[in-house]
Amino acid sequence: MTNISIPEIDIDTNRSHEPEDWRRFFGFSTDHKVIGIQYIVTAFFFFLVGGVFAMIIRGELLTPESDLVDRTVYNAMFTMHGTVMLFLWTFPVLAGLANYLVPLMIGARDMAFPRLNAIAFWMIPIFGIVLIGSFLVPGGPAQSGWWSYPPVSLQNPSGNLINGQFLWLLAIVLSGISSILGAINIVTTIFRMRAPGMTWFRMPVFVWAVLSAQIIQLFGLPALTAGAVLLLCDLVAGTSFYDPAKGGDPVLFQHFFWFYSHPAVYVIILPVFGIFSELFPVYARKPLFGYKVVAVSSLIITGLSAVVWVHHMFASGTPGWMRMLFMFTTMLISVPTGIKVFAWVGTIWGGKLRLDTPMLFAMGGLVMFVFSGITGIMLAAVPVDIHVNNTYFVVGHFHYVIYGATVMGIYAALYHWFPKMTGRMYNEGLGKLHFALTFLGTNLNFFPMHPLGLQGMPRRVASYDPEFAFWNVIASLGGFLLGMSTLPFLVNIVGSWVQGKKVSANPWRAIGLEWLIASPPPHENFEELPIVVAEPYGYGMNEPLVSNADKL
Amino acid sequence: MINTSEIDNSIESAAQNIAHHDESDNRMFGFIIFLLSESVVFLGFFIGYYVYKTNAVDWLPAGVSGLEIREPAINTVILVSSSFVIYIAERCLRQQNLWGFRFFWLLTMLMGSYFLYGQIIEWQGLKFGFTSGLFGGTFYLLTGFHGLHVLTGVLLQSLMLIRSFIPGNYDKGEFGVEATSLFWHFVDVIWIILFLLLYVWQ
Ligand code: HEM
Ligand SMILES: [Cu+2]
């Protein structure tokens, strides 16, 4: 409903007649807010599942010997850990936040395709079951890591057609379809459903970031799907696309895989950048520094993300010119990223900081992101990468990004919008405890991986040389702490949802369309479509955001 | 988007018009995004084909000297012309000429089906299979994946044909028809690239 305001025909008073009870969360609802919460809760369940796998991995690594689980089980554990955490936790939880927030932030009543939205969501539990179900097939789950590089992934020791690797591929393809449907929906919504007056440069940065991230899904996932189909043919039909013994080219799979999976890290981090950009202005009471630049740099990152993937393949027999080229492009991507970091620091700088839980998580996430950005630049340098490729240094790098920045950013968002989603306030004390445990646990768990990698400890091993024991023990203890850290969160969220203090429409005194309507927002969000008259983040400027605030 | 419970009649239909119009526009927008995304799958396969073909040690399986081009060329002409026929069908619909639409639409379906038939005949006559090295693998993968799209197109077309018999159904234009037709052009363009890669570039 772009740019047309139709107040005369909008006299629709009996909205919000839909049953507002908890049962709608368990059915085929087409309300984007219900679907958003369904995404988030489902994803959190899988976060816990993936966390159990992580506990087993860290338990095994507590001692140098392989003594806790069988090596094949260990392989399955890290494979399933990575796959579950990415495809069943990070992507869905971010899709959930986008689903919940984007229509509210652009002043729409729902997504462009509500039914498609529900279908995309319900595919998640389905492929989750397919993936987890691989524990029940003979030979157990896939063991070739979340990359599934051939020829390792082509081995089929059990000889069954339905094996762990097969189910893994099936789950990935289903996940891809679900994500593409979601991406089509979100992109269409952002392009075509903005409220009157909501021009591109009045959109909150979170919306820009989600748009950029979903565009990546649209061009990246099909490439992964193509690569996965070839792998599936090799595995099931006996073709020789990737089988070097029969003339195939295993490195081609790596290209397919990273052509998507590198950009995928931006699918993950861009919405988190969006979250940072939303939260810092609220808790520093200042406009976002350099709003337009921050908004556009998301799109620049999207463009660049498509031309850096070979930095994961520096050691895959890659020719010299390719190494140089991709080293250069990878370093280039830190420019728009660095700009954003400066903008956030500039926003926080000299502000009246309010250190509530969301702000703590956002600031902690920012610090962790800067650290991982530095290790990322190190890895982008070919001479360094040749040395630490496939060691724990890489594992340290990406866990700082994915736990340190992304999970912390997601927690920040969940606390920040919890009052909006539920109409109740969370418990601040438990929130702060949660932050302290998470921050400590993340650093204890993932910092030791850097020295380990530099000393040469390879990743994906169940046993290691005793000289690596010191840092591994610390990492494992940190890991267990991190496992514990989800408890105060769970207690807090469940408890506060049931009996937290009721809140007003705008407990944070934040500026944004979603804060102009009741908490939780009514079905179809807005009584009358908002007419936006100002840029976002007008903190301290005393200008109205919409011209019809009293009619929403 | 707009809830239409007991409101004044004229207002309701006005709202409905806007909502309907807007929604079908959204659907077209979404469908185009979908096709763009889908084209990347083909692009991936094409690039894979290119890499294999230029790097493989044994490209053609033993005893195979290349592909026969005559029959596939006829097939190509038929598929490409069907894109013009479906365009005429769409124009008829826009001029409210329902029988004209049905005639040309059915003609498109027949041409598409003939293409599929020709594809199967070609497959049956070949001396190599899906597992005959990289050549066999990529050949059947590309033609098979494309054929699946043609089949989808024909099925969609029959659905749209059946729906044209619901009275008044297509009076205000029809998203399904437009989308099917766009999909058909897409499948056509993909085939042209595929034909050049597989048959012409030998
Ligand atoms: C300044 C930005 C960044 C740079 C320069 C960078 C660079 C790199 C490089 C060169 C590697 C390959 C290391 C190797 O395998 O030898 C790598 C691995 C990785 N990075 Fe980053 N990175 C950056 C940001 C991110 C972000 C934002 C994420 C995720 C949200 C991320 C996630 C990953 C992951 C998951 C891997 C390892 C994948 C695997 O091997 O399993 N990185 N990074
Ligand atoms: Cu990367």
Side-chain angles (χ1 to χ4, degrees):
Chain A
M1 199 123 302
T2 345
N3 298 331
I4 1 168
S5 119
I6 35 163
E8 333 71 80
I9 46 176
D10 226 345
I11 45 161
D12 161 21
T13 40
N14 37 5
R15 220 183 284 138
S16 70
H17 268 187
E18 194 137 297
E20 281 289 316
D21 68 21
W22 54 271
R23 253 163 296 176
R24 71 192 190 286
F25 290 108
F26 294 88
F28 193 85
S29 171
T30 54
D31 180 344
H32 74 98
K33 299 185 292 299
V34 175
I35 295 176
I37 291 175
Q38 286 175 324
Y39 263 114
I40 293 170
V41 173
T42 312
F44 201 84
F45 167 76
F46 284 112
F47 183 46
L48 297 179
V49 173
V52 171
F53 299 153
M55 294 302 104
I56 296 173
I57 295 174
R58 281 316 331 169
E60 174 65 78
L61 294 177
L62 205 48
T63 57
E65 301 79 31
S66 163
D67 43 13
L68 183 65
V69 291
D70 189 73
R71 280 172 198 275
T72 56
V73 175
Y74 184 82
N75 292 347
M77 282 303 134
F78 69 68
T79 302
M80 295 299 269
H81 166 72
T83 311
V84 167
M85 286 305 196
L86 284 170
F87 294 96
L88 285 162
W89 152 246
T90 317
F91 290 152
V93 73
L94 290 169
L97 284 170
N99 239 300
Y100 195 95
L101 293 172
V102 165
L104 291 174
M105 284 181 163
I106 63 173
R109 296 222 160 93
D110 206 319
M111 300 283 271
F113 312 113
R115 239 175 318 150
L116 191 68
N117 202 15
I119 293 169
F121 164 72
W122 282 101
M123 288 179 73
I124 289 182
I126 292 175
F127 78 77
I129 291 170
V130 171
L131 189 70
I132 306 289
S134 63
F135 276 99
L136 302 177
V137 297
Q143 294 182 38
S144 49
W146 82 282
W147 304 338
S148 281
Y149 278 4
V152 177
S153 54
L154 291 178
Q155 294 169 355
N156 182 6
S158 71
N160 288 319
L161 183 63
I162 307 292
N163 55 53
Q165 192 66 49
F166 173 79
L167 292 178
W168 186 92
L169 279 165
L170 192 64
I172 293 308
V173 170
L174 288 176
S175 152
I177 296 172
S178 154
S179 295
I180 286 182
L181 297 183
I184 291 172
N185 208 345
I186 291 176
V187 170
T188 309
T189 306
I190 296 175
F191 266 87
R192 305 197 42 99
M193 309 270 288
R194 281 171 287 134
M198 178 57 86
T199 58
W200 289 105
F201 283 111
R202 285 182 186 158
M203 281 190 339
V205 168
F206 181 76
V207 181
W208 276 93
V210 166
L211 177 66
S212 311
Q214 297 297 322
I215 291 175
I216 292 178
Q217 297 282 48
L218 290 171
F219 74 74
L221 268 170
L224 177 70
T225 309
V229 168
L230 296 184
L231 191 61
L232 198 63
C233 292
D234 276 6
L235 192 68
V236 176
T239 50
S240 53
F241 296 118
Y242 299 133
D243 189 347
K246 292 191 247 163
D249 181 0
V251 177
L252 188 66
F253 177 82
Q254 301 188 12
H255 281 289
F256 276 127
F257 183 81
W258 289 115
F259 180 78
Y260 170 63
S261 294
H262 174 79
V265 308
Y266 292 96
V267 177
I268 295 169
I269 202 71
L270 280 170
V272 176
F273 288 172
I275 292 166
F276 288 166
S277 309
E278 296 304 317
L279 264 59
F280 290 139
V282 177
Y283 297 92
R285 313 307 303 166
K286 278 173 65 191
L288 180 67
F289 187 85
Y291 157 65
K292 282 185 185 167
V293 179
V294 175
V296 171
S297 56
S298 292
L299 277 180
I300 297 178
I301 290 178
T302 295
L304 286 176
S305 77
V307 291
V308 298
W309 76 94
V310 176
H311 66 222
H312 295 272
M313 301 167 55
F314 284 148
S316 304
T318 308
W321 65 268
M322 239 190 204
R323 285 180 171 176
M324 285 305 131
L325 181 69
F326 282 93
M327 174 159 102
F328 178 74
T329 52
T330 304
M331 302 235 170
L332 212 58
I333 218 167
S334 49
V335 175
T337 315
I339 289 176
K340 289 193 174 196
V341 173
F342 276 115
W344 296 323
V345 175
T347 307
I348 303 173
W349 204 263
K352 284 192 261 96
L353 296 194
R354 224 170 52 194
L355 295 180
D356 296 316
T357 308
M359 183 59 163
L360 288 176
F361 270 106
M363 295 210 313
L366 177 55
V367 172
M368 308 282 269
F369 177 72
V370 170
F371 185 88
S372 62
I374 293 170
T375 54
I377 299 282
M378 291 167 73
L379 287 170
V382 174
V384 180
D385 187 69
I386 297 298
H387 180 61
V388 294
N389 175 277
N390 241 332
T391 68
Y392 261 92
F393 193 83
V394 177
V395 183
H397 157 69
F398 72 73
H399 278 95
Y400 260 75
V401 199
I402 295 181
Y403 213 115
T406 307
V407 177
M408 301 255 285
I410 291 168
Y411 277 139
L414 292 179
Y415 282 111
H416 180 70
W417 280 288
F418 181 81
K420 181 49 66 185
M421 293 178 182
T422 62
R424 294 176 186 273
M425 189 48 95
Y426 62 84
N427 179 305
E428 190 62 48
L430 276 174
K432 292 212 162 92
L433 173 68
H434 177 214
F435 168 74
L437 292 179
T438 309
F439 191 77
L440 201 66
T442 312
N443 282 293
L444 276 180
N445 192 352
F446 303 123
F447 181 79
M449 295 181 176
H450 297 85
L452 279 175
L454 292 175
Q455 288 163 21
M457 177 171 165
R459 62 195 282 198
R460 295 176 172 157
V461 287
S463 58
Y464 52 83
D465 196 283
E467 69 170 306
F468 301 130
F470 172 72
W471 288 114
N472 268 304
V473 170
I474 296 183
S476 285
L477 295 180
F480 301 143
L481 188 64
L482 213 44
M484 302 287 290
S485 74
T486 49
L487 294 179
F489 176 74
L490 278 173
V491 171
N492 197 351
I493 293 304
V494 174
S496 306
W497 205 330
V498 179
Q499 51 175 8
K501 207 167 85 252
K502 294 236 175 181
V503 292
S504 65
N506 190 359
W508 306 120
R509 291 186 300 118
I511 297 179
L513 293 183
E514 78 270 32
W515 301 107
L516 296 174
I517 51 177
S519 312
H523 188 58
E524 303 223 314
N525 306 342
F526 302 96
E527 281 287 327
E528 184 179 290
L529 285 179
I531 298 168
V532 182
V533 294
E535 276 190 14
Y537 316 114
Y539 293 94
M541 297 202 234
N542 243 334
E543 58 180 20
L545 180 66
V546 296
S547 64
N548 55 347
D550 47 335
K551 299 207 200 90
L552 303 179
Chain B
M1 221 179 320
I2 289 166
N3 189 329
T4 50
S5 23
E6 314 89 54
I7 330 174
D8 170 78
N9 251 338
S10 61
I11 291 177
E12 173 177 308
S13 71
Q16 275 229 332
N17 261 344
I18 290 175
H20 182 265
H21 176 77
D22 214 62
E23 216 170 88
S24 83
D25 274 5
N26 282 350
R27 284 190 297 182
M28 206 52 182
F29 187 91
F31 190 67
I32 290 172
I33 298 182
F34 168 76
L35 286 185
L36 287 175
S37 187
E38 180 80 355
S39 62
V40 179
V41 182
F42 280 105
L43 191 70
F45 287 153
F46 290 156
I47 291 175
Y49 175 80
Y50 172 82
V51 171
Y52 285 136
K53 179 161 175 147
T54 49
N55 292 326
V57 189
D58 301 311
W59 175 239
L60 293 175
V64 177
S65 59
L67 290 166
E68 179 63 51
I69 194 167
R70 215 176 65 94
E71 304 294 325
I74 298 174
N75 241 349
T76 306
V77 171
I78 288 174
L79 190 67
V80 173
S81 0
S82 75
S83 244
F84 294 96
V85 178
I86 203 171
Y87 172 73
I88 300 174
E90 241 190 313
R91 259 217 347 221
C92 289
L93 187 64
R94 234 171 284 142
Q95 293 158 354
Q96 308 277 341
N97 176 0
L98 211 50
W99 279 107
F101 163 75
R102 285 177 192 137
F103 174 76
F104 287 107
W105 196 256
L106 189 67
L107 189 60
T108 316
M109 285 171 60
L110 291 176
M111 291 166 93
S113 311
Y114 179 83
F115 175 87
L116 285 176
Y117 170 75
Q119 184 80 72
I120 291 169
I121 295 295
E122 190 200 357
W123 282 355
Q124 280 176 344
L126 291 175
K127 287 200 290 296
F128 56 89
F130 192 30
T131 52
S132 310
L134 292 174
F135 178 76
T138 47
F139 174 82
Y140 283 99
L141 182 82
L142 282 169
T143 51
F145 193 61
H146 177 267
L148 217 55
H149 279 74
V150 178
L151 183 65
T152 311
V154 174
L155 291 178
L156 284 174
Q157 285 162 356
S158 25
L159 188 69
M160 295 307 145
L161 188 66
I162 296 168
R163 289 185 56 203
S164 79
F165 287 97
I166 303 174
N169 197 22
Y170 288 174
D171 283 357
K172 289 188 297 259
E174 170 57 33
F175 162 74
V177 170
E178 283 170 38
T180 305
S181 159
L182 188 66
F183 183 73
W184 198 248
H185 297 314
F186 169 78
V187 169
D188 215 24
V189 172
I190 296 287
W191 175 258
I192 294 174
I193 302 173
L194 211 157
F195 182 73
L196 292 176
L197 279 177
L198 286 183
Y199 296 92
V200 178
W201 180 41
Q202 293 225 14

